[in-house]
Amino acid sequence: MSQWIQVQQYKYHSQNETICSFLNREKGTKSLILNFRENIMNNILYKILFVFLCIFISSKITKANTDSLYRKVQGFGIGLPQEKVYLHLDNTCYFLGDTIWYKGYVTRSDKGTLTDLSKILYVELLTPDGYSVERQQLEMTSGTASGMFILKDSLYAGYYELRAYTRWMLNFGQCEYPHISRKSHGFYSRKMKDDYIRDYEKLYSRVFPVYNKPKEEGRYTKEMTLRPMRRYYKARKLKPTAVLRFYPEGGHLVQNTTGRVALELNDEEGKHLEHIDITITDQDGEKVSECQTDKRGRASFILKDISPEGKYKATFTLKGVKFSEKLPEVEKNGCALSVTQTDSTVEASIQAVGIERNIALHVMHQGVSKFYLPLKKNIKGKYDTVKIPLRTLSTGVNQLIIFNSEGRIYADRLFFVNLHDYDKPQITISGTGKQYEPFAPITLCLKLTDTNKQGRSVSLSIRDRATEEPTYDNGTMLTEMLLASEVRGFVENPGFYFESDDSIHRQALDLLMMVQGWRRYEWRKMADVEPFTPDWLPEKFQTIAGCVNHAERQNVDFKKASNLRKEVNVWAMFVQNGKTIELKQPTRNGTFYMQTPRIYGEYMLFLSAARQDKGTDYITRSRQKDFTDEEAWPDYYVKLDLFYPHFAKPYNYYQDVPQKDMPYFEGEDSVVHTSFTHRYMPAVTVQAQRGGLRHYDPTKPAIVIDAYEAYNLLADYGLVDRPFYHIEEETMYRLLTSLFVGDMNMHRQYYYEKRYDGKTQKTKNWYRLVKAPLEHAISPVKVELPKPNIGGYQTLRKYRLLSWLDKFYVYTDYVPREQGSWKYKQGNQPEVIIDYRLYPDGQYFPACRDRRYRLQGYAVCEDFYSPDYSRKPLPDTKDYRRTLLWIPEVKFDEKGEATVRLFNNSKQTVISVEAEGITGKGIPIVWKSDKTYGTKELNKP
């Protein structure tokens, strides 16, 4: 069990200030709130029970058959449920200087109710380029939490992203971020490499527009000035591009069967190509089927008596250019699956070829088993059609699997079921007027259908309708929980699929299931056919974890996370506003995991390690000697585990465009041309040569990061293993480039440059690119640059000390979301400039020999300001609120009723009212102005 030790405040070596002064110099630092009410024994018991459950589920059953695999999946779905997140925002768009108010809802996959697993929610704000602006850690009570982000004026306009997750969610859907193989060689250990490149198939994401700050207060002109790039990339003047993908029902084309194939046709940017006639031909060039794409570029066709040769191809014409694409290979053995629905059943038709073992059919909904049936051949040696009663299934996305006793999956299919049990509106709101005069009072009455208080939560937003912005990313609590969270990628305008239950909408929904089908619940891992080991438990409290290594010793075994031969103690000191608390934890296999105090707001963390026979007196002496000598070597080097996702996903074409017809600019790239009205790049010389560089602008970096924070990231990701001062100067800025730009999954170098407070340093190692084949590395070319007037040796030395370094300014043409773009191929390499900035006015803030972090505890959300104009406001009062009222948690009485009172802003206003939440039974609550949302009619007045 951890020891808690109250320690003294230590003075810095050669500096008459305490550790606490690092925080006190920052204005507005929030006070430390420590709460030790968590019962440590209960938490340990929870972990033991959890591990026992995992062992029980994964235990091997001697007799392998479909029944045993089914029971494992059944136990997994109940014992290890996943979590899903939804964020309700106060508005649909924002302007620089605004505040984003949000409410997070986290539910369990097995019950659909608010989670009781995790107690911490992470919410990140990402720039349009994919760089992190801020990450917040929210304390959840009963599965919900609310927060706020301030859009600072220093940010750029564009489409920003909110990403949310719990640490438990990060155990599922893991994948690797695209990278070249040699990238792995630069990490300290395999674990650190794996942590760095770990990516996720899908995390909750919400994209919304952020416009320029109004030039005149109250005049909300929707204009975007995007981040300027330094390079004009050469436009490509090519023939029309098209990407055609095929999705056989069940996953495979099987010889001598009849199968249905879905397809999706988009252009290179992901824009749907509608009303395109597609012809399917066989190996002899004979037409065997045809179809036409719908508004979403999707269609399906039937292949009868699939030929063993399988040389099928699809042909179509786009803008006078003919295209041809091969269909997937035909398999000799397997199952062809066909799923259809009637008013009372789901019918699954199985055509098996060359299958000797017994097979079974299994259906699950959000990981919970709903139907299971071992299949037997009839007298003709075929499988009869399986009729699954709808009443045994659940509303939402269901997964059907055909498998054998070895756990091999022959066919897999998603399908959507609507039992109409979500049709009834869960809330009504009355009292809205057609229009409100300036400062007029507004009174709304809310009434819930279900008056049960247990597990219920509702948030409310009232805003000025005139400043809203319709987008394709317009999901609700209902569409997210039932649909979008269960399929791959982005679902534009998901409410469409719930507007009606007619044949048109059913067909569109079924095509969505086939083309964007994603297995959120990995059946083979659930059945223990493939291993599943959770990396993290559901968080009940704040923790830190990491590893310890000998300083000045390389990790000779790349497979191990640590090079320690004997275990040590890790000492963690938490400091905030003059208060210090210290925690000691012994390592295990060179790693540590410890519970921390409950902390709100910003705090300082100091990490060091010592042999286990060294006590408090030794730590005290070590901090009194050379504690602020950053050139000294520590005995041990401590690293924190960075569990959060490092990379941003590329935007879908429909995520960063408004819901309106857009002009298509043939042959222009997405960086240069105006992609919609009032979105533009900063003013540049029109006559500038394409492919050339713009003027260097030192006020417009891509990233500005605290120097100490950047160094901590490099160390904790395993890119460096020594104090900052002892990193070679040429190595440091290359590592920073690697951290923020990466390798773009290309075996080539790119041009990078180092500057000191905006001035270029003369060096022999400036790199310029020369043309070379894509598969080869590009050789560097020396370029002589003028020597800047930076200063003497002592001035230059300051740029190697964290005590003097304030920030790193990073300028680059690269956009992480566009990894793999044609703009970065061949001679069009991006450029990266790392600008070292000292503290202004010669300021000095001592760095540390041991690890020092400035971290954020639980985010503290302020109360939304709503003015009271019950007394007549002054004549010169101006109120330009766009969000008139935001209530993250509406308080209802015993009858399920609530009355909300507010006042209008200073102009005539038509309001929009939006309420979202969830009942104690897990039914989503959605109400938007005059539209009540249910699964039967989303647009029902």
Side-chain angles (χ1 to χ4, degrees):
M1 187 179 299
S2 304
Q3 292 185 6
W4 294 94
I5 304 175
Q6 191 75 30
V7 296
Q8 300 290 329
Q9 297 180 3
Y10 298 99
K11 291 185 178 181
Y12 286 114
H13 177 63
S14 74
Q15 296 293 328
N16 187 21
E17 55 180 339
T18 65
I19 297 175
C20 306
S21 64
F22 281 99
L23 285 171
N24 292 337
R25 72 181 178 87
E26 298 288 338
K27 296 182 179 179
T29 303
K30 296 179 175 60
S31 62
L32 175 67
I33 302 176
L34 300 177
N35 190 328
F36 303 106
R37 296 179 183 175
E38 299 284 359
N39 190 314
I40 297 178
M41 292 304 297
N42 285 344
N43 291 326
I44 294 176
L45 179 61
Y46 170 85
K47 295 176 184 177
I48 293 174
L49 291 175
F50 184 87
V51 173
F52 175 80
L53 177 62
C54 294
I55 295 173
F56 173 77
I57 292 175
S58 62
S59 63
K60 299 295 183 181
I61 300 177
T62 304
K63 184 180 180 181
N65 54 55
T66 58
D67 290 347
S68 65
L69 294 176
Y70 160 69
R71 286 193 293 270
K72 289 182 180 181
V73 175
Q74 187 180 37
F76 192 106
I78 298 174
L80 297 174
Q82 295 191 31
E83 291 179 322
K84 299 199 288 188
V85 178
Y86 175 73
L87 296 184
H88 180 204
L89 308 187
D90 70 298
N91 221 310
T92 59
C93 67
Y94 299 91
F95 293 78
L96 292 177
D98 284 352
T99 297
I100 302 170
W101 302 87
Y102 66 91
K103 167 79 171 288
Y105 296 87
V106 183
T107 63
R108 293 173 56 121
S109 62
D110 58 337
K111 301 177 181 179
T113 57
L114 292 173
T115 187
D116 55 357
L117 300 176
S118 297
K119 299 297 182 183
I120 300 178
L121 173 66
Y122 298 91
V123 183
E124 300 172 341
L125 178 63
L126 305 178
T127 67
D129 294 338
Y131 294 113
S132 176
V133 176
E134 183 179 353
R135 179 183 299 106
Q136 292 185 353
Q137 179 186 133
L138 302 180
E139 184 179 24
M140 285 198 296
T141 56
S142 302
T144 66
S146 57
M148 54 181 283
F149 287 102
I150 298 176
L151 294 169
K152 299 179 181 179
D153 296 348
S154 58
L155 295 173
Y156 298 104
Y159 278 80
Y160 281 70
E161 178 185 15
L162 281 179
R163 185 168 63 184
Y165 52 89
T166 64
R167 198 181 295 200
W168 175 245
M169 291 172 62
L170 300 182
N171 290 308
F172 305 95
Q174 295 182 0
C175 59
E176 284 191 0
Y177 187 78
H179 64 284
I180 59 176
S181 57
R182 65 173 179 168
K183 181 73 174 181
S184 305
H185 301 158
F187 289 90
Y188 188 78
S189 70
R190 175 178 294 175
K191 181 182 182 302
M192 292 179 177
K193 182 265 295 185
D194 293 342
D195 289 345
Y196 181 81
I197 64 175
R198 183 188 297 116
D199 203 1
Y200 298 88
E201 290 285 351
K202 186 162 187 174
L203 296 175
Y204 176 81
S205 171
R206 180 68 179 267
V207 177
F208 50 88
V210 175
Y211 297 102
N212 295 347
K213 186 174 183 178
K215 297 178 181 178
E216 180 182 343
E217 191 176 10
R219 292 181 61 87
Y220 295 104
T221 304
K222 294 179 179 177
E223 298 179 343
M224 283 186 182
T225 303
L226 307 181
R227 179 173 74 87
M229 304 293 177
R230 297 190 62 240
R231 176 183 295 277
Y232 284 108
Y233 288 102
K234 298 177 181 179
R236 299 188 304 170
K237 296 183 178 179
L238 304 174
K239 65 179 183 180
T241 57
V243 179
L244 178 61
R245 295 185 175 93
F246 300 99
Y247 304 88
E249 187 170 15
H252 308 283
L253 294 178
V254 182
Q255 68 174 359
N256 301 324
T257 65
T258 296
R260 180 179 173 218
V261 181
L263 59 83
E264 186 175 47
L265 179 62
N266 299 320
D267 66 11
E268 188 181 32
E269 293 185 349
K271 184 179 180 180
H272 301 321
L273 299 177
E274 57 180 302
H275 305 314
I276 303 297
D277 294 320
I278 299 176
T279 302
I280 312 300
T281 58
D282 60 15
Q283 63 274 12
D284 298 324
E286 297 292 332
K287 183 173 75 172
V288 295
S289 190
E290 61 182 352
C291 60
Q292 185 184 77
T293 58
D294 61 12
K295 291 184 178 180
R296 289 168 176 77
R298 297 167 190 157
S300 67
F301 57 89
I302 301 294
L303 281 181
K304 296 181 179 180
D305 299 325
I306 297 176
S307 170
E309 285 78 7
K311 296 181 180 180
Y312 295 100
K313 64 179 181 180
T315 58
F316 61 95
T317 301
L318 176 63
K319 296 183 179 179
V321 179
K322 292 184 178 181
F323 291 84
S324 178
E325 188 71 30
K326 293 181 180 179
L327 269 67
E329 294 290 332
V330 174
E331 298 189 2
K332 295 182 179 180
N333 301 316
C335 278
L337 175 65
S338 174
V339 177
T340 57
Q341 287 192 47
T342 67
D343 292 337
S344 59
T345 62
V346 173
E347 298 184 357
S349 176
I350 301 102
Q351 304 170 71
V353 177
I355 296 178
E356 301 297 334
R357 293 179 177 270
N358 293 332
I359 61 175
L361 182 149
H362 182 209
V363 178
M364 58 184 182
H365 172 263
Q366 296 190 5
V368 178
S369 296
K370 292 296 180 179
F371 183 86
Y372 168 73
L373 180 68
L375 301 178
K376 295 182 179 180
K377 294 182 179 180
N378 58 26
I379 194 172
K380 297 181 180 180
K382 298 182 179 180
Y383 293 102
D384 294 325
T385 298
V386 179
K387 296 185 178 181
I388 307 169
L390 279 176
R391 65 178 182 274
T392 64
L393 306 178
S394 297
T395 296
V397 178
N398 289 257
Q399 183 176 353
L400 188 153
I401 305 100
I402 305 294
F403 65 100
N404 68 6
S405 58
E406 293 181 340
R408 176 181 174 181
I409 296 177
Y410 286 104
D412 194 358
R413 169 81 148 86
L414 298 185
F415 62 96
F416 194 90
V417 171
N418 186 1
L419 301 179
H420 300 284
D421 48 346
Y422 290 75
D423 290 354
K424 184 179 179 181
Q426 299 299 313
I427 190 172
T428 58
I429 301 179
S430 59
T432 56
K434 292 184 177 180
Q435 183 172 283
Y436 292 91
E437 296 300 315
F439 308 113
I442 303 172
T443 302
L444 303 179
C445 297
L446 289 69
K447 182 174 178 57
L448 292 170
T449 303
D450 185 356
T451 59
N452 185 8
K453 296 181 179 179
Q454 189 67 29
R456 179 184 67 196
S457 185
V458 178
S459 49
L460 177 71
S461 173
I462 304 174
R463 51 186 180 251
D464 184 349
R465 181 175 294 183
T467 61
E468 292 183 331
E469 177 71 12
T471 65
Y472 288 100
D473 197 346
N474 56 10
T476 66
M477 183 75 173
L478 184 143
T479 62
E480 179 65 26
M481 293 302 165
L482 293 187
L483 176 63
S485 61
E486 298 288 317
V487 298
R488 183 189 301 275
F490 173 67
V491 181
E492 70 267 17
N493 195 23
F496 163 79
Y497 300 101
F498 297 87
E499 288 178 353
S500 178
D501 196 21
D502 57 28
S503 60
I504 296 177
H505 289 78
R506 284 188 181 186
Q507 181 181 5
L509 189 53
D510 194 52
L511 283 173
L512 176 69
M513 295 295 100
M514 294 182 68
V515 303
Q516 286 190 222
W518 165 59
R519 308 308 181 249
R520 182 185 187 98
Y521 308 94
E522 299 179 74
W523 190 91
R524 287 174 59 85
K525 289 185 177 180
M526 297 175 70
D528 197 28
V529 178
E530 295 178 354
F532 173 76
T533 304
D535 296 313
W536 302 281
L537 298 174
E539 285 185 293
K540 303 294 184 181
F541 40 75
Q542 292 168 308
T543 61
I544 59 173
C547 65
V548 181
N549 295 277
H550 276 290
E552 296 189 275
R553 180 181 296 178
Q554 293 183 347
N555 190 8
V556 294
D557 191 346
F558 184 71
K559 297 180 180 180
K560 294 183 178 180
S562 170
N563 62 16
L564 289 183
R565 295 183 178 179
K566 293 184 178 181
E567 304 298 339
V568 298
N569 285 332
V570 175
W571 295 79
M573 184 160 59
F574 303 84
V575 184
Q576 192 181 58
N577 281 358
K579 297 181 180 179
T580 62
I581 286 185
E582 183 140 340
L583 175 67
K584 182 181 74 173
Q585 178 74 44
T587 61
R588 182 178 180 182
N589 297 325
T591 64
F592 64 93
Y593 176 89
M594 62 179 72
Q595 179 182 352
T596 72
R598 180 178 294 176
I599 304 179
Y600 295 82
E602 189 178 66
Y603 67 97
M604 194 75 79
L605 171 65
F606 295 85
L607 281 176
S608 59
R611 286 168 21 195
Q612 292 189 348
D613 59 349
K614 303 294 183 181
T616 306
D617 293 339
Y618 174 82
I619 296 298
T620 301
R621 291 194 302 270
S622 69
R623 287 176 176 158
Q624 291 174 341
K625 179 182 179 181
D626 297 334
F627 186 67
T628 58
D629 183 3
E630 64 175 292
E631 299 180 44
W633 281 86
D635 294 330
Y636 299 95
Y637 215 60
V638 186
K639 299 174 185 286
L640 285 183
D641 288 341
L642 304 180
F643 64 88
Y644 44 80
H646 179 65
F647 302 101
K649 291 287 187 183
Y651 281 157
N652 178 282
Y653 177 83
Y654 293 91
Q655 281 184 285
D656 61 350
V657 296
Q659 261 197 6
K660 61 180 71 173
D661 293 333
M662 296 169 40
Y664 183 79
F665 292 82
E666 189 70 20
E668 291 196 21
D669 62 89
S670 59
V671 175
V672 179
H673 74 67
T674 55
S675 57
F676 70 93
T677 307
H678 300 314
R679 190 209 293 200
Y680 57 90
M681 299 299 298
V684 295
T685 305
V686 178
Q687 293 80 11
Q689 180 183 1
R690 296 189 66 82
L693 292 177
R694 298 174 184 164
H695 179 67
Y696 170 71
D697 188 345
T699 66
K700 300 185 182 300
I703 310 167
V704 177
I705 187 170
D706 180 82
Y708 220 121
E709 180 184 354
Y711 165 68
N712 283 335
L713 288 175
L714 290 172
D716 291 339
Y717 276 127
L719 295 173
V720 298
D721 60 351
R722 59 196 63 198
F724 180 84
Y725 176 79
H726 296 277
I727 303 175
E728 293 183 8
E729 191 174 5
E730 294 299 318
T731 302
M732 184 61 201
Y733 70 90
R734 296 183 192 177
L735 291 174
L736 289 169
T737 301
S738 177
L739 178 65
F740 294 112
V741 176
D743 59 32
M744 298 173 291
N745 198 23
M746 293 185 180
H747 290 272
R748 296 183 301 167
Q749 298 179 11
Y750 42 82
Y751 172 69
Y752 44 89
E753 174 183 331
K754 178 172 59 177
R755 294 176 186 258
Y756 292 146
D757 281 302
K759 300 176 181 179
T760 303
Q761 179 198 23
K762 182 179 180 181
T763 176
K764 297 180 180 179
N765 295 319
W766 294 108
Y767 291 100
R768 281 288 186 185
L769 297 176
V770 295
K771 293 184 177 180
L774 179 62
E775 62 272 13
H776 299 296
I778 294 179
S779 303
V781 176
K782 296 180 181 179
V783 177
E784 293 295 331
L785 298 174
K787 185 176 181 180
N789 183 19
I790 298 176
Y793 170 77
Q794 291 300 327
T795 301
L796 288 174
R797 187 173 182 273
K798 293 180 180 179
Y799 291 97
R800 297 192 60 187
L801 296 171
L802 289 174
S803 302
W804 297 93
L805 269 177
D806 181 15
K807 299 182 186 302
F808 291 118
Y809 282 57
V810 182
Y811 306 84
T812 179
D813 296 305
Y814 184 61
V815 176
R817 291 194 194 277
E818 296 185 1
Q819 189 274 134
S821 170
W822 61 268
K823 292 197 292 286
Y824 308 127
K825 295 179 180 180
Q826 298 182 7
N828 280 335
Q829 285 292 281
E831 305 198 354
V832 183
I833 297 175
I834 307 294
D835 193 355
Y836 291 55
R837 299 290 182 97
L838 301 179
Y839 285 110
D841 303 322
Q843 297 180 68
Y844 169 85
F845 297 102
C848 295
R849 173 198 60 209
D850 300 314
R851 302 303 304 280
R852 187 193 87 188
Y853 297 86
R854 187 187 304 276
L855 302 175
Q856 294 291 332
Y858 289 129
V860 179
C861 184
E862 301 175 1
D863 293 332
F864 183 87
Y865 172 69
S866 181
D868 183 357
Y869 295 130
S870 56
R871 296 182 179 180
K872 188 176 181 180
L874 297 174
D876 58 348
T877 299
K878 299 296 182 183
D879 184 349
Y880 301 117
R881 286 173 299 146
R882 299 175 53 249
T883 300
L884 303 179
L885 184 66
W886 167 251
I887 305 178
E889 189 65 50
V890 179
K891 303 298 182 182
F892 293 90
D893 60 21
E894 295 182 354
K895 298 180 180 179
E897 298 178 350
T899 301
V900 175
R901 295 181 174 87
L902 66 150
F903 291 87
N904 187 24
N905 55 29
S906 58
K907 68 181 187 67
Q908 286 186 337
T909 304
V910 176
I911 66 172
S912 287
V913 182
E914 182 178 85
E916 297 204 53
I918 193 169
T919 69
K921 297 178 181 178
I923 301 177
I925 298 173
V926 180
W927 199 96
K928 291 193 176 185
S929 295
D930 61 338
K931 296 180 181 180
T932 304
Y933 279 58
T935 57
K936 185 176 182 180
E937 291 178 310
L938 276 180
N939 292 333
K940 181 179 178 180

